[in-house]
Amino acid sequence: MRGSIDGLESSAPIGAMLPAVFADDDLALRFVAGLDEVVAPILIALDCLPSYFDPALAPADFTRWLGTWVGAEVDGTEPDARLRAAVAAAAYLHRVRGTRRGLSEAVRLAFGVEPEITESGAAAWDPRPLGPVPGDRRPGLHVTLRLPDPTPADAYRLESLVAAARPAHMPYTVKVTAAERTSER
């Protein structure tokens, strides 16, 4: 959290801006020096304001708050790097929401792992009218996620993420399994 910092000097001391009549008044100078100590963190934040709106540069607590502004899909347990990536990608994810690419990217940002997505739909072209319809007649979406150490919380998180990022009309199922471990030699 930002706040008072011991020894932080103001970039614009108020004592230097006082009229000449107060320049020699010790009480007035000490009084505004106390105000300088309170105002210095505010001036520093204003000097660095563009950095607060860049998820890569903003303080972690502000990045989490910024995530609420842009509707980032975060639950508060992400490591700092994944939080910053999710906040930076939020606008893009809103643009591709409801698509396979959008769902895949949302899951990857939340878990750090690429999901396996299978869906019932398909697209095909046929020169004859009334040709065969590709895909299944019943819509469906299945998302499988392979994690190193899955927990029930991961399944719940994936369920809520897919429910929010899938096409609205699409019934879905989710599955979280343990990733196969490869032996290192």
Side-chain angles (χ1 to χ4, degrees):
M1 290 300 256
R2 278 132 319 278
S4 181
I5 300 170
D6 292 337
L8 181 66
E9 294 194 19
S10 176
S11 59
I14 299 172
M17 294 184 247
L18 289 176
V21 71
F22 296 110
D24 291 332
D25 187 350
D26 186 51
L27 177 65
L29 291 176
R30 283 185 293 143
F31 178 75
V32 295
L35 293 176
D36 280 339
E37 190 174 317
V38 173
V39 174
I42 296 168
L43 294 176
I44 298 254
L46 289 174
D47 288 344
C48 303
L49 193 60
S51 299
Y52 279 82
F53 298 106
D54 182 350
L57 301 174
D61 61 327
F62 193 86
T63 303
R64 189 165 305 285
W65 189 42
L66 188 60
T68 65
W69 292 5
V70 296
E73 299 280 344
V74 295
D75 67 352
T77 62
E78 301 82 14
D80 193 44
R82 232 186 297 157
L83 168 69
R84 293 177 187 281
V87 172
Y92 167 75
L93 288 177
H94 290 305
R95 223 175 20 252
V96 295
R97 187 177 211 114
T99 66
R100 180 184 184 126
R101 180 176 51 173
L103 177 60
S104 177
E105 187 67 15
V107 171
R108 188 188 64 74
L109 283 170
F111 291 96
V113 176
E114 200 71 35
E116 296 172 18
I117 299 174
T118 55
E119 53 188 329
S120 61
W125 181 85
D126 195 330
R128 295 169 294 150
L130 302 175
V133 177
D136 294 336
R137 288 201 172 279
R138 290 189 65 212
L141 174 69
H142 183 71
V143 180
T144 302
L145 189 62
R146 299 185 193 288
L147 296 174
D149 296 315
T151 65
D154 293 328
Y156 177 77
R157 172 87 171 117
L158 180 62
E159 170 86 22
S160 62
L161 191 64
V162 171
R166 69 183 165 92
H169 68 284
M170 186 77 70
Y172 66 95
T173 59
V174 297
K175 182 178 177 183
V176 177
T177 62
E180 295 178 12
R181 298 185 191 272
T182 58
S183 61
E184 296 179 16
R185 296 178 191 175

